[in-house]
Amino acid sequence: MSTQLHTFMDLFSTEFPVDDGTVVIQKIIIPIIQRDYAQGRLDADVTRVRKRFLQALRAAVTESPITLDFVYGDVDVNGVMTPLDGQQRLTTMFLLHWYAARRVNAPEDDCAFLQNFSYETRYSARDFCARLVGSYVPSFTMPISEEIIDQAWFPLDWQKDPTIHSMLVMLDAIDETFGDVPDLWERLKEGAISFYFLPIRDMGLTDELYIKMNSRGKPLTLFEHFKAELEHSLRQISGEIANRIMKKIDIDWTDMLWRYRGDDNIIDDEFLRYFRFICDIICYQEGGTTQGKSDDVFDLLDEYFSPATEHVGSHIEKLENWFDCWCRLPEASPTAFLEKFISHEHEAGKIRVENRYELDIFADCLQNYADIMGNGNRSFPLGRIILLYAIVIYLEHWPEISEEQFARRLRIVNNLIQNSEDEISDSENRSTGNRMPTILKHVEEIIRTGEVRLDYERSLNPTQLQEEVDKLNWLSVHPEYSEDLFALEDHELLQGQISIVGLEHPEHFARFEKLFACDWDKVDCALMSIGFYGQQEKNRTHYQLGTKSKRNTKAWRSLFHRSNKSVGFDETKRILAELLSSTEEFNDTYLDNMAATYLDSCEQQQIYPWRYYYIKYDFFRPGSYGKYTWENYAEAPYHFSVMMTERKWSENTYQPFLRAIDESKLSREDMGQRLRLGNRFIVAENGGIVLYDEETRQELVRVHVPQNEDKIDVENRVESLKKAYTTMI
């Protein structure tokens, strides 16, 4: 088999063996059996490919020459070449040479070869090519397509021909790309763009096979374009590497990904999503951020796998290793491997992830990592990227790390991820900045060594890092409590951070689980009977408490996770510890008795702190979000409101003492802060209630609730105000 390097020009002056002799190509004819010219289509995939192809050709004529892929074709005894593969590139070459010749008014003899290129897919396409290479010369003062359509020789119905339409689009794109290249024609004549031409008879192909191959008529997919560009880049670096990786893509990696194929029964999208993941990791490891960058897979190829890339060798190695590592698993599949270490519930030797996430994080990546069209859609959050990265690091180094070591180290990483929501960022626009480069380095060290260092700057949550160090040290002395501790970490309200329980009383580990297996409303009341366990938020008026709703865990999680966003964590911990120390077993009856004992004590002593009302009347306890507001808790503890939303007041907010007096008159318009009585209204204050005239805003009646010297009610405020209210209405 012989191959020769050609330009589009010299293809028409070279002899090729045909039968027992040789023949010079006289014409290139795109036969009827071929599909329409497609590189000028306007859909997103083709537009992307067209732009990249033309940019590569521009670089060839302005920087360094380029050699395109093989063109295969049949040359008959009359010197007519019909392309088997390469029709699209040949057509683009025809249009580019025509454009370059017309730009410089090249002599007729120099560009006569253009008359020997024709289409037979439709008569209109054939006639259009003939008109172009005739006497027509564009003015180059307006879009070429518009000027051509305005020509008298251009019938209106030609616009319906898909080949002609594509050629017009391509001509405009060529003009946009090469309009400022003054020596384009000369550079083409010098051979800046070349390709290998191989007659199909040299390949041993028959005309029947030629017909079958061309009858497919399907455009190349995005993935096929991607593979072609990847192979082209790899071959410029090493033919051996290109052969090895392309074989793996077609066989080993496809076999591994096959179980994850979609309804289209192909693995193209799945492959490209994992490729995107690998490129993003490379970006982070090299100190960059993916924010604001193109995530088009072809741009990623250029950035990380072109021969000119500084670290292209290590990038290729990572690409190969990170696909290979999933192929050499001892388990039957990646799913089987991952389910050994990840669960939706607490299981020994496994980390727990939320039910909204797939256990097979690899499948999640393949299906959801990103929009393969490069539209910036990220449905695979940064925390999942870090977790998958940790797993791949283990797979890369699995002979060095035992499964037991990996399970323990993965637990540490998972705890850190779950408690570093504020720290995990790849945006330079946030106050935290891009922490991903440091985080990935930190996580790799944990997986490979088991060491948790505290000296990384701008990494994961420092509070959680310190806790992980403390737990490692504590377990080295108390290994018998490891499973109890891990079960506590996996509790849905803690998610890896156990500081609210602490390590001082390991007997509390199991008790916490038993306590929160009870009715959460009863837990809330039992805690409040010991003391005010809520925490003041940074805005100073909002307070976080628990909630009775088991459908919303966020309130309790906020209380149980130490944060610089709130004040009072240590008091919450003290009160919880007192409750956990009170018994080894918890049930609803026990908690009810605690609350009842507190209420009885208040009533017997005739003192009624605001906590009394909180426990006594269920509507004093906040809704799903567990939020109260106080203007001044220290000075006015009875003047508060119950919020029904997470952050802001709404029409459902209410002052609970007003609601206790007459819920039917509670004004939603005033966000539950008034009882409206016609032209009068009532508001609550720390000392009682006040009746005002609506029009004059003059005080009409003030009702005081008796209090002791410590400013604590000595009468049940609810009952007292109800009696006073009956005299007001």
Side-chain angles (χ1 to χ4, degrees):
M1 182 184 297
S2 63
T3 58
Q4 300 179 47
L5 196 61
H6 296 281
T7 67
F8 187 72
M9 292 183 185
D10 73 30
L11 197 61
F12 294 93
S13 59
T14 305
E15 291 187 348
F16 294 94
V18 176
D19 295 338
D20 296 329
T22 60
V23 66
V24 175
I25 291 179
Q26 303 296 318
K27 285 188 176 184
I28 297 177
I29 295 180
I30 308 301
I32 295 175
I33 199 171
Q34 278 280 23
R35 63 190 175 99
D36 295 308
Y37 178 53
Q39 286 190 349
R41 291 176 181 171
L42 294 176
D43 62 82
D45 281 354
V46 176
T47 298
R48 181 187 299 109
V49 172
R50 177 173 61 251
K51 181 178 179 180
R52 293 174 57 80
F53 185 40
L54 291 180
Q55 287 297 328
L57 298 183
R58 177 186 169 87
V61 298
T62 59
E63 299 173 17
S64 58
I66 189 174
T67 298
L68 304 178
D69 294 331
F70 281 86
V71 171
Y72 306 111
D74 179 42
V75 182
D76 66 17
V77 295
N78 297 315
V80 176
M81 192 269 270
T82 51
L84 166 66
D85 181 54
Q87 166 210 353
Q88 304 295 319
R89 278 165 285 150
L90 288 172
T91 305
T92 300
M93 288 297 98
F94 163 72
L95 295 173
L96 178 62
H97 283 73
W98 175 86
Y99 172 84
R102 292 297 188 259
R103 285 285 304 204
V104 297
N105 287 317
E108 190 62 32
D109 289 346
D110 282 3
C111 54
F113 68 93
L114 293 171
Q115 300 178 13
N116 298 324
F117 181 90
S118 182
Y119 258 76
E120 288 190 355
T121 54
R122 290 182 179 85
Y123 77 89
S124 51
R126 179 194 65 209
D127 291 352
F128 176 73
C129 291
R131 287 289 188 176
L132 275 186
V133 298
S135 58
Y136 171 67
V137 178
S139 67
F140 299 104
T141 60
M142 61 187 296
I144 296 176
S145 63
E146 294 182 15
E147 187 171 339
I148 289 176
I149 291 173
D150 284 343
Q151 299 302 306
W153 50 262
F154 189 95
L156 291 179
D157 61 354
W158 277 12
Q159 296 185 62
K160 299 177 182 179
D161 185 309
T163 289
I164 295 176
H165 180 268
S166 286
M167 286 183 174
L168 292 173
V169 171
M170 179 59 83
L171 285 171
D172 285 343
I174 288 173
D175 187 34
E176 181 180 346
T177 306
F178 295 92
D180 62 345
V181 180
D183 58 346
L184 175 60
W185 178 244
E186 291 302 318
R187 295 289 290 126
L188 292 176
K189 290 173 66 176
E190 292 168 2
I193 302 171
S194 59
F195 53 85
Y196 288 99
F197 174 68
L198 184 62
I200 63 172
R201 283 178 173 76
D202 286 359
M203 300 170 61
L205 301 180
T206 65
D207 290 342
E208 180 183 1
L209 179 58
Y210 168 79
I211 292 172
K212 287 182 179 179
M213 292 178 70
N214 277 282
S215 65
R216 181 171 69 104
K218 295 180 180 179
L220 292 177
T221 66
L222 173 70
F223 185 57
E224 288 168 328
H225 282 298
F226 168 85
K227 283 174 58 180
E229 292 213 22
L230 174 61
E231 181 175 10
H232 179 72
S233 292
L234 294 177
R235 289 203 179 281
Q236 293 181 69
I237 299 166
S238 166
E240 179 183 351
I241 291 175
N243 290 337
R244 184 176 71 246
I245 290 181
M246 299 315 294
K247 181 180 179 181
K248 287 182 177 181
I249 290 177
D250 289 337
I251 300 175
D252 300 346
W253 299 349
T254 293
D255 288 346
M256 181 270 294
L257 294 172
W258 187 247
R259 61 177 50 85
Y260 298 107
R261 66 192 183 277
D263 295 337
D264 53 6
N265 220 32
I266 55 178
I267 53 88
D268 299 9
D269 293 354
E270 289 74 18
F271 183 101
L272 292 176
R273 290 192 184 101
Y274 189 57
F275 173 80
R276 283 268 304 274
F277 165 74
I278 293 173
C279 290
D280 285 355
I281 293 297
I282 292 173
C283 174
Y284 294 137
Q285 288 183 325
E286 294 183 349
T289 173
T290 63
Q291 294 291 313
K293 291 179 61 174
S294 170
D295 47 14
D296 182 296
V297 291
F298 294 97
D299 290 337
L300 296 176
L301 271 177
D302 275 349
E303 183 169 1
Y304 300 118
F305 296 95
S306 72
T309 299
E310 182 179 359
H311 303 295
V312 65
S314 64
H315 298 170
I316 294 171
E317 182 179 3
K318 184 178 295 293
L319 176 71
E320 189 169 10
N321 287 344
W322 280 30
F323 271 98
D324 282 349
C325 70
W326 295 102
C327 298
R328 58 173 180 254
L329 291 171
E331 286 76 17
S333 68
T335 302
F337 162 75
L338 291 166
E339 288 180 350
K340 289 173 58 178
F341 299 99
I342 306 175
S343 174
H344 284 141
E345 304 294 334
H346 170 70
E347 293 185 52
K350 300 183 180 183
I351 64 169
R352 179 179 182 179
V353 298
E354 294 186 72
N355 291 336
R356 61 194 172 109
Y357 292 128
E358 288 189 47
L359 297 182
D360 188 342
I361 190 174
F362 183 58
D364 190 11
C365 176
L366 299 179
Q367 296 157 5
N368 301 306
Y369 186 74
D371 186 334
I372 62 161
M373 301 305 293
N375 293 328
N377 175 41
R378 170 173 277 164
S379 52
F380 196 84
L382 290 175
R384 296 284 277 175
I385 291 176
I386 297 169
L387 185 61
L388 179 56
Y389 173 79
I391 293 168
V392 175
I393 290 298
Y394 165 68
L395 292 178
E396 265 196 306
H397 302 279
W398 68 267
E400 309 162 17
I401 308 168
S402 69
E403 285 195 356
E404 183 179 1
Q405 289 173 322
F406 171 60
R408 180 67 185 100
R409 296 169 188 180
L410 188 65
R411 170 170 286 277
I412 292 171
V413 170
N414 193 50
N415 290 344
L416 289 166
I417 291 171
Q418 291 182 107
N419 291 282
S420 299
E421 180 180 352
D422 292 337
E423 288 77 15
I424 295 176
S425 167
D426 65 350
S427 173
E428 299 293 356
N429 297 325
R430 284 180 52 180
S431 59
T432 54
N434 177 22
R435 293 185 174 221
M436 287 296 284
T438 304
I439 288 174
L440 294 185
K441 183 179 179 181
H442 205 169
V443 165
E444 180 172 357
E445 183 178 85
I446 293 171
I447 293 296
R448 295 187 65 180
T449 70
E451 180 182 358
V452 182
R453 286 170 48 191
L454 302 176
D455 57 347
Y456 278 91
E457 294 185 5
R458 296 169 58 80
S459 182
L460 296 155
N461 184 340
T463 300
Q464 189 65 34
L465 283 164
Q466 182 63 62
E467 181 178 297
E468 295 306 319
V469 171
D470 293 343
K471 286 185 289 193
L472 283 170
N473 293 335
W474 189 82
L475 284 176
S476 68
V477 180
H478 304 284
E480 68 276 14
Y481 288 111
S482 59
E483 282 308 313
D484 290 339
L485 176 61
F486 298 157
L488 181 66
E489 287 182 335
D490 287 345
H491 195 280
E492 63 177 337
L493 299 182
L494 301 183
Q495 295 184 303
Q497 186 178 124
I498 58 92
S499 57
I500 193 69
V501 178
L503 297 168
E504 301 85 359
H505 300 284
E507 68 275 12
H508 289 180
F509 296 172
R511 293 185 191 181
F512 184 89
E513 168 68 34
K514 294 174 182 177
L515 174 63
F516 280 91
C518 300
D519 185 317
W520 286 2
D521 188 43
K522 299 181 188 301
V523 174
D524 181 13
C525 291
L527 287 169
M528 196 64 80
S529 72
I530 297 171
F532 179 30
Y533 70 86
Q535 296 172 27
Q536 184 181 27
E537 297 184 345
K538 264 191 171 181
N539 63 15
R540 302 301 181 187
T541 61
H542 289 192
Y543 285 73
Q544 180 69 66
L545 295 97
T547 176
K548 59 186 174 184
S549 172
K550 290 199 173 187
R551 291 176 297 179
N552 189 342
T553 58
K554 191 171 183 179
W556 290 107
R557 287 179 181 176
S558 296
L559 284 167
F560 292 162
H561 287 73
R562 189 185 292 275
S563 169
N564 60 8
K565 294 180 179 179
S566 59
V567 177
F569 179 86
D570 289 337
E571 180 65 5
T572 306
K573 180 176 180 176
R574 183 195 68 78
I575 292 170
L576 176 63
E578 185 173 334
L579 178 55
L580 293 175
S581 298
S582 67
T583 183
E584 293 183 6
E585 301 294 334
F586 288 96
N587 54 51
D588 290 349
T589 300
Y590 178 83
L591 298 175
D592 277 339
N593 289 337
M594 282 192 68
T597 298
Y598 174 77
L599 295 178
D600 289 345
S601 175
C602 290
E603 291 165 359
Q604 289 173 12
Q605 298 178 66
Q606 292 188 325
I607 55 172
Y608 301 88
W610 73 267
R611 291 188 292 120
Y612 170 87
Y613 306 108
Y614 185 95
I615 298 170
K616 177 77 172 179
Y617 304 102
D618 63 353
F619 57 85
F620 273 72
R621 299 192 286 279
S624 297
Y625 300 100
K627 293 297 179 72
Y628 258 35
T629 60
W630 267 280
E631 289 185 8
N632 188 333
Y633 174 74
E635 297 297 326
Y638 294 94
H639 190 210
F640 55 85
S641 292
V642 178
M643 293 175 61
M644 301 302 288
T645 57
E646 185 173 9
R647 300 188 184 279
K648 296 181 179 181
W649 277 26
S650 70
E651 61 181 10
N652 294 318
T653 301
Y654 60 89
Q655 212 289 335
F657 289 110
L658 293 180
R659 176 172 170 175
I661 295 170
D662 188 350
E663 184 177 1
S664 67
K665 298 293 192 299
L666 195 65
S667 172
R668 292 167 62 89
E669 181 181 325
D670 297 306
M671 296 187 181
Q673 303 305 299
R674 293 180 179 180
L675 294 179
R676 287 198 171 273
L677 308 172
N679 60 353
R680 299 173 300 161
F681 64 89
I682 296 175
V683 299
E685 295 182 348
N686 187 64
I689 58 174
V690 184
L691 177 67
Y692 287 94
D693 181 272
E694 178 72 49
E695 294 182 4
T696 65
R697 300 302 170 101
Q698 289 185 342
E699 180 180 317
L700 301 178
V701 179
R702 178 176 291 270
V703 178
H704 290 280
V705 177
Q707 293 185 326
N708 62 20
E709 59 185 11
D710 295 323
K711 297 183 179 180
I712 298 175
D713 290 355
V714 295
E715 290 182 3
N716 183 322
R717 178 179 295 235
V718 170
E719 300 303 324
S720 297
L721 294 181
K722 280 184 177 180
K723 291 177 182 177
Y725 176 67
T726 59
T727 65
M728 295 180 180
I729 60 175

